Amino acid sequence: MLTRLLLGLLAALLVSPTIGSKDIDWWENAALYQIYPRSFQDTDGDGVGDLNGITQRLAYLKEIGITATWLSPIFKSPMSDFGYDISNFKEIDQIFGTMDDFDAMMVQAKKLNLKIILDFVPNHSSDECEWFHKSVQRLDGYDDFYVWHDGRVNAETGEREPPSNWVSVFGGSQWTWHETRQQYFLHQFQVKQPDLNFSNPMVREHMLDVLGFWLDRGVDGFRIDAVPHIYELRNADGSYPNEPLSGWNSDPNSYDYLDHIYTKDQPETVQLMYEWRDYLIKYQAEHGGETRVLLAEAYSSVETLSDYFGSGERQGTQMPMNFQLMYLNGYSTAKDVVGAIDYWMQTMWTNHQTANWVVGNHDTQRVADRMGAHKVDLLNVIVNALPGASVTYYGEEIGMSNVKTECTEISCDDRDGERTPMQWSPATNADFSTAEKTWLPVGSDFQRYNVKTERGVARSSLQVFKGLQQLKSSAAFMAFKQTNGFSYTAVTEQVLQIVRTNNHNEEYRILVNMGNKMEIIDALVDRVFEYILVTAYSVHTPGETIDLKGRIILMPYEAIVLRWLA
Ligand code: NOJ
């Protein structure tokens, strides 16, 4: 009743004509898709995906309504962290192909009007990077390129110890002794990923040069890796302060042992976002074209993300990635979903009228494992029905699951399970590769969950996903920014309702039953709606109508999209 009243009031207050796409910049409601290049499509038969494979599959992204894709790293790398350890920031790793292949991919992307966003990994390089070799040798200009320190001498034992108690994200000390240079170097991640020293203007210059290099090759923006970790606090005397204990993890080798007040989200990092954005703005002013974007990977508080976004003159990353929905689990109710949405909206929407929703990535279990296979479509519906940009990890649109993997010579990473080959068809290796052995195994469920099969099945995950993407360009969905024409509520503990309207002549109601019981909802609004999209568990068919003055019944795990047209 209260919801009805509020909605009525909102509609009365905000009656305005349909607002067109020109008022929204492309990234603001983009349908983004993350490709993990090693696992998308192999064309040279070595069992590892490559750039030609991506080029070949861009038409698929277009088919399912994607507007931009971000690629995990494709640069020269010893692959200790599968490309997040870069040894040359301006070269393509041969496993992915050549610079010509890259250029060909860009040509095809432009032809299809798809934006390409590259992964930019500024916090660290590989220890096999030429810069690190030069720094080890203290060559002119490279002496301070990385974070070096003599360490501390323990007053009691007389032994040399690391400069501070800092623990790396992957566990163990962040400091490793380098025999040749006879100093410790800092690495917030693996030993093979030494941290670059951003207090050194030369490092910042080199990184701007990297951005310029790829912008000149036509990319539309960057996903910035590990943003919070870029700067660390250094005392005026050159020492590094110990971090306090977190109090909730007692293993001194675990990252969570400490409260990262000196190694995360430092004020200089916020400034750096503004510098990089300025660089992109200037680039666009000089070279034309559409807005170049920055996506920031930052597992930080929403207040900090708001700083990274910036305001007024100080513009930063347009998309500090919103991971709130990734924290949901199999027990999460519609009320929990609303809580997760609220956490973002209360700061980011209120302050900046911006939103993005990430459903997964290569560091996190897939939705089918995190929340349950029957909830994959529900999550896909939610992230695409909310206002703003959606970010889909490859394979989530067909309901792929984590795969049980075993350590091999190529890989032994606890994240392997969510990085397995894309499932294209029921043929051998799911049509990912002609190799005898793919770098990670293909999921054993590929004959059921694959693109080709799902294309032909009504209400498959793929069809639901596609249907949602089509709505993103409707008048009601496009009007979100100018009219605040949306709302989201838990109408019961388990049923989420998202309303999208242009406050004029078009309205969608998206209802999602997160629970395993049938739900009956009375009197949502006094109007007749049409079913336009239903998920697998629905007993309805698109084209049917329903008067929401009466009651509506939702099956367990059912999601539906209803439309009202004036
Ligand atoms: C975040 C990336 O997503 C992850 O895969 C990587 O291991 C770390 N950053 C280090 O670059």
Side-chain angles (χ1 to χ4, degrees), residues 81 84 124 170 189 193 223 225 297 362-363 415 419:
D81 191 14
Y84 285 96
H124 44 268
F170 294 141
F189 294 88
Q193 293 169 307
R223 173 263 190 190
D225 183 73
E297 185 216 23
H362 61 292
D363 296 325
R415 298 165 294 182
R419 298 175 175 181

Side-chain angles (χ1 to χ4, degrees), residues 34 36 70 72-73 80-85 119-124 169-170 188-190 193 223-227 229 297 299 323 361-364 413 415 419:
Q34 180 191 349
Y36 196 67
W70 77 266
S72 280
S80 177
D81 191 14
F82 294 109
Y84 285 96
D85 49 322
D119 211 326
F120 174 50
V121 189
N123 179 67
H124 44 268
V169 175
F170 294 141
Q188 292 226 28
F189 294 88
Q190 288 183 11
Q193 293 169 307
R223 173 263 190 190
I224 317 171
D225 183 73
V227 167
H229 305 273
E297 185 216 23
Y299 292 89
F323 300 124
N361 63 32
H362 61 292
D363 296 325
T364 318
D413 194 303
R415 298 165 294 182
R419 298 175 175 181

Side-chain angles (χ1 to χ4, degrees), residues 165-167 174 241-245 258-264:
N165 68 345
W166 298 349
V167 179
Q174 263 186 36
N242 278 344
E243 285 186 328
L245 304 195
L258 301 175
D259 186 5
H260 305 289
I261 55 175
Y262 302 133
T263 56
K264 269 190 83 183

Side-chain angles (χ1 to χ4, degrees), residues 211-403:
L211 293 180
F213 178 85
W214 294 107
L215 286 170
D216 284 347
R217 297 200 97 89
V219 306
D220 301 284
F222 303 91
R223 173 263 190 190
I224 317 171
D225 183 73
V227 167
H229 305 273
I230 296 178
Y231 278 91
E232 300 79 29
L233 184 78
R234 185 169 182 252
N235 293 323
D237 66 359
S239 64
Y240 293 94
N242 278 344
E243 285 186 328
L245 304 195
S246 66
W248 53 277
N249 187 313
S250 57
D251 173 5
N253 280 319
S254 160
Y255 188 60
D256 296 336
Y257 182 61
L258 301 175
D259 186 5
H260 305 289
I261 55 175
Y262 302 133
T263 56
K264 269 190 83 183
D265 296 320
Q266 300 299 298
E268 293 86 347
T269 313
V270 176
Q271 293 306 316
L272 190 63
M273 292 304 111
Y274 304 155
E275 265 179 47
W276 285 342
R277 179 71 182 281
D278 282 348
Y279 185 79
L280 262 56
I281 291 171
K282 196 158 156 262
Y283 190 93
Q284 188 188 1
E286 285 167 5
H287 296 83
E290 292 188 75
T291 308
R292 313 304 198 277
V293 291
L294 292 176
L295 280 62
E297 185 216 23
Y299 292 89
S300 306
S301 73
V302 75
E303 290 74 21
T304 304
L305 297 184
S306 179
D307 290 343
Y308 286 140
F309 183 90
S311 62
E313 294 282 282
R314 314 264 50 202
Q315 293 298 313
T317 156
Q318 293 103 317
M319 280 192 238
M321 290 167 110
N322 173 9
F323 300 124
Q324 292 310 313
L325 296 174
M326 284 186 359
Y327 303 139
L328 299 173
N329 59 43
Y331 300 105
S332 302
T333 62
K335 287 215 166 126
D336 296 329
V337 177
V338 167
I341 300 171
D342 270 344
Y343 179 64
W344 174 274
M345 296 303 266
Q346 281 166 3
T347 299
M348 295 301 285
W349 188 265
T350 309
N351 294 347
H352 314 294
Q353 283 210 306
T354 195
N356 71 78
W357 311 97
V358 182
V359 76
N361 63 32
H362 61 292
D363 296 325
T364 318
Q365 278 201 326
R366 287 190 178 276
V367 178
D369 297 78
R370 224 188 301 142
M371 301 193 63
H374 40 280
K375 294 202 180 151
V376 171
D377 293 349
L378 306 189
L379 255 282
N380 282 339
V381 167
I382 293 170
V383 292
N384 287 297
L386 287 169
S390 56
V391 189
T392 301
Y393 182 51
Y394 82 96
E396 289 295 347
E397 76 279 18
I398 53 168
M400 273 173 66
S401 298
N402 267 54
V403 177

Side-chain angles (χ1 to χ4, degrees), residues 88-109:
N88 190 325
F89 287 76
K90 295 196 213 167
E91 250 183 63
I92 300 290
D93 194 276
Q94 45 91 15
I95 199 126
F96 298 121
T98 63
M99 198 57 92
D100 284 348
D101 296 341
F102 177 83
D103 292 340
M105 178 187 74
M106 291 305 302
V107 168
Q108 178 67 1

